[in-house]
Amino acid sequence: MSGILTYTPVEEIPKIRDDLRATFKTGVTRSLEWRKRQIYQIARLAQNEAEAICDAMTRDFAKPRFEVIVAELAGVVKIALKSAEKLEEWAQPERPDVPDSQRSWNPTIYKVPKGTVLIISPWNYPVILTLQPLVGAIAAGCCAVLKPSEAVPHLSGLLAELVPKYLDTSAYCVINGAVPETTKILELQWDHIFYTGNGRIARIVASAAAKHLTPCSLELGGKSPVVVDAAYDMELAAKRILWGKCNNAGQICVAPDYILVPRQKQDELVRGFEKAYKTFFPNGALDDAHYGGIVNDFHFKRLSAMLDRSQGEKVGGVFEGRRDPERRRFEPVIVKGVDENDSLLDEEIFGPVLPIVAVDSLDEAIGFINARPHPLVLYAFTEDPTVKERLINETQSGGIAFNDTFQHLAVAELPFSGIGESGYGYQFLRYSFDAFTHLRSSVDIPKSEENNLSLRYPPHKPEAYQVLGSAMNIRIPE
Ligand code: NAD
């Protein structure tokens, strides 16, 4: 495998879409047996090609092998196998519970594939964020084009070689490229667009989709806060938060973005970070193989500028916050005493910088969160049921996770989605299947119902008005 990224010629893109549409029309992708075989092939791809994939990710941004296997490949295998196992159950037509008078109408919900869909994925978890929605699309019976990110050229080049090796190319294919290619793709009509990435481009995608009334799933990011309760064990909170922040060097949509901690506990939390950091990276993270790099110069400079502009206090000691622009290595940095106008609170950090904002009450923390766009996830370290309840009821976010970072992603049975600025459209297992499925409602009225239906025909007789009267006089509960 060469893994060299070749952009798809723009003029070939419409034909690729047309060919997939022609395949969809043949009905081949609807067979459950066929869908299962393709899904198993994705699991095989993830298992058999693990070495090549890890190698490509190392070349793209020094992503640690452990993280690639745990967070991407093992996840793909798990989701593929579970989806294949559940496929028949999901695809079964459903018979809703209806009033007795409608039973004979045979009300049914058929699960039909939406058609030929587009999956646009980002660079940060480029394997799972491409293949996981693909499993959902295949499970639903769709044809799909994958558009991986040009920001990880080795991986995207490799995917373009692996997909035809494992999957039926008449139904699934990769288009590679950057803005001109994606712009061309977005001019075409799709039956669903599943986009994962940032909110700015999501608006371009959604506008293009609107021209064709194409439904979208927009899986975005944002600033996910962490609330730490004064009564919680600061050392444990720090260890679990730092682990979350160091994964993929903080380049993850659900990374803890900033911390809200009671003022009197700020220093104790910082000491917890120092201790955890020393255990994770005894010689600092700069050259540690268990810690990844920053994806490209643009993001390295963006993070550096954001950090350099901050008025907060960079925590010294073991956190030296060393940076190496040549190799795009950026050690984790904790910044305490950050105030609400600080550069670190402007936009999603998406890197290994973690600001701490000191607050005087839970009310203040809730007010801080609610004054900002809805995040993808809200983390809270607390064992107090009242605090949990208040955060559940008084804030909004895509998900809410207590007492750890990321573990809501490990439960694939939970729906994953943003809300507001963090996006919309659910995914994971059943929810990914649903994203690419149209619920086609059906009734089949027997001839024998004619008697029951007779009152509807004009001219309306007095009995018809009596029926109307009783329908309108149903008692509404207080
Ligand atoms: P990116 O730069 O790789 O872009 C994502 C995709 O958009 C790529 O395939 C790219 O080719 C395409 N694209 C770029 N410019 C375009 C244009 N003008 N028109 C159409 N398409 C275009 O990735 P990114 O956006 O930097 O990814 C990081 C963002 O994604 C963060 O905000 C992160 O929080 C979010 N994210 C969300 C999830 C989730 O599941 N909710 C997962 C991962 C990342």
Side-chain angles (χ1 to χ4, degrees):
M1 294 277 144
S2 65
I4 291 168
L5 180 61
T6 313
Y7 286 8
T8 307
V10 170
E11 63 281 7
E12 288 178 14
I13 291 173
K15 181 168 181 327
I16 295 174
R17 196 282 315 260
D18 292 347
D19 288 350
L20 295 193
R21 286 196 138 182
T23 303
F24 182 73
K25 281 199 182 131
T26 68
V28 63
T29 59
R30 289 179 180 241
S31 141
L32 293 186
E33 261 323 297
W34 197 85
R35 299 186 209 181
K36 263 194 212 169
R37 277 203 305 279
Q38 297 295 316
I39 292 172
Y40 285 139
Q41 283 297 94
I42 293 184
R44 278 190 196 101
L45 183 161
Q47 272 184 352
N48 299 350
E49 307 294 342
E51 279 316 309
I53 290 171
C54 286
D55 183 46
M57 302 278 255
T58 307
R59 289 157 76 183
D60 280 328
F61 63 121
K63 190 158 176 158
R65 190 184 144 79
F66 183 85
E67 287 186 21
V68 177
I69 293 181
V70 172
E72 303 224 53
L73 301 176
V76 167
V77 174
K78 178 174 123 181
I79 283 192
L81 296 186
K82 195 76 191 167
S83 299
E85 180 196 322
K86 289 279 186 184
L87 184 54
E88 259 151 64
E89 180 189 320
W90 298 342
Q92 275 298 315
E94 271 176 41
R95 316 236 176 253
D97 196 17
V98 297
D100 285 346
S101 58
Q102 293 175 332
R103 292 246 157 82
S104 66
W105 299 7
N106 197 22
T108 307
I109 304 165
Y110 293 101
K111 317 288 182 62
V112 297
K114 282 187 178 171
T116 299
V117 304
L118 168 64
I119 296 170
I120 304 180
S121 49
W123 52 267
N124 66 329
Y125 283 79
V127 182
I128 194 159
L129 295 177
T130 308
L131 298 183
Q132 176 175 270
L134 179 61
V135 169
I138 297 175
C142 293
C143 290
V145 157
L146 307 175
K147 163 61 190 73
S149 176
E150 67 279 22
V152 278
H154 293 97
L155 192 276
S156 296
L158 182 63
L159 274 181
E161 293 176 29
L162 294 179
V163 167
K165 187 173 157 194
Y166 285 85
L167 298 179
D168 188 317
T169 50
S170 70
Y172 313 110
C173 70
V174 174
I175 296 181
N176 263 318
V179 175
E181 292 74 14
T182 319
T183 304
K184 185 72 207 172
I185 298 173
L186 288 172
E187 279 170 15
L188 304 172
Q189 181 166 21
W190 301 92
D191 298 309
H192 189 91
I193 300 179
F194 192 103
Y195 168 82
T196 307
N198 69 67
R200 187 180 63 79
I201 297 170
R203 285 168 167 83
I204 297 175
V205 171
S207 306
K211 292 207 176 95
H212 300 287
L213 295 180
T214 299
C216 293
S217 303
L218 300 178
E219 304 289 345
L220 316 179
K223 293 186 81 63
S224 296
V226 187
V227 173
V228 183
D229 183 23
Y232 199 81
D233 174 345
M234 293 294 140
E235 209 171 276
L236 184 60
K239 186 175 169 192
R240 292 183 175 187
I241 297 168
L242 188 66
W243 172 76
K245 192 66 175 178
C246 290
N247 258 280
N248 209 26
Q251 302 164 109
I252 173 164
C253 56
V254 288
D257 192 275
Y258 65 93
I259 299 176
L260 297 163
V261 67
R263 199 171 299 283
Q264 76 278 15
K265 288 286 181 175
Q266 180 170 220
D267 288 333
E268 192 181 333
L269 185 68
V270 167
R271 283 196 294 280
F273 279 126
E274 286 168 344
K275 185 167 176 196
Y277 184 72
K278 225 175 198 158
T279 331
F280 293 174
F281 308 110
N283 301 313
L286 198 71
D287 296 308
D288 198 308
H290 303 102
Y291 180 73
I294 303 301
V295 70
N296 54 31
D297 287 340
F298 169 80
H299 283 289
F300 191 93
K301 285 185 187 141
R302 178 186 65 79
L303 281 166
S304 294
M306 203 186 222
L307 179 62
D308 294 342
R309 282 201 318 274
S310 172
Q311 299 298 307
E313 183 187 333
K314 280 104 190 158
V315 171
V318 289
F319 276 104
E320 289 175 45
R322 291 174 296 172
R323 302 175 221 170
D324 178 351
E326 287 289 296
R327 294 181 300 137
R328 300 192 309 275
R329 306 287 290 182
F330 199 118
E331 276 188 338
V333 186
I334 304 283
V335 186
K336 69 175 197 174
V338 165
D339 79 37
E340 62 178 319
N341 301 314
D342 196 88
S343 56
L344 295 177
L345 296 178
D346 271 356
E347 58 177 71
E348 180 181 12
I349 293 176
F350 219 61
V353 181
L354 187 51
I356 305 180
V357 181
V359 290
D360 292 313
S361 64
L362 181 61
D363 283 337
E364 190 183 338
I366 290 175
F368 197 95
I369 294 163
N370 289 341
R372 289 163 173 74
H374 301 328
L376 188 54
V377 54
L378 168 61
Y379 294 114
F381 286 79
T382 178
E383 290 182 310
D384 183 337
T386 316
V387 174
K388 289 183 189 174
E389 194 123 312
R390 285 201 58 194
L391 289 170
I392 292 169
N393 293 331
E394 296 177 34
T395 66
Q396 282 181 284
S397 60
I400 182 161
F402 295 105
N403 302 321
D404 208 348
T405 49
F406 297 178
Q407 292 311 310
H408 59 308
L409 295 187
V411 186
E413 287 74 13
L414 289 172
F416 182 67
S417 165
I419 177 171
E421 193 65 29
S422 50
Y424 56 79
Y426 300 93
Q427 62 170 322
F428 285 5
L429 291 180
R430 167 81 200 235
Y431 299 97
S432 300
F433 170 88
D434 288 347
F436 295 104
T437 297
H438 171 62
L439 301 179
R440 193 173 194 192
S441 293
S442 163
V443 290
D444 181 356
I445 318 280
K447 282 185 184 153
S448 56
E449 279 294 287
E450 200 47 27
N451 227 2
N452 293 334
L453 297 172
S454 60
L455 287 179
R456 69 184 179 181
Y457 299 118
H460 295 119
K461 304 186 184 73
E463 304 94 274
Y465 287 97
Q466 267 167 21
V467 174
L468 268 193
S470 55
M472 291 307 290
N473 285 331
I474 296 171
R475 207 182 130 263
I476 298 169
E478 290 304 317

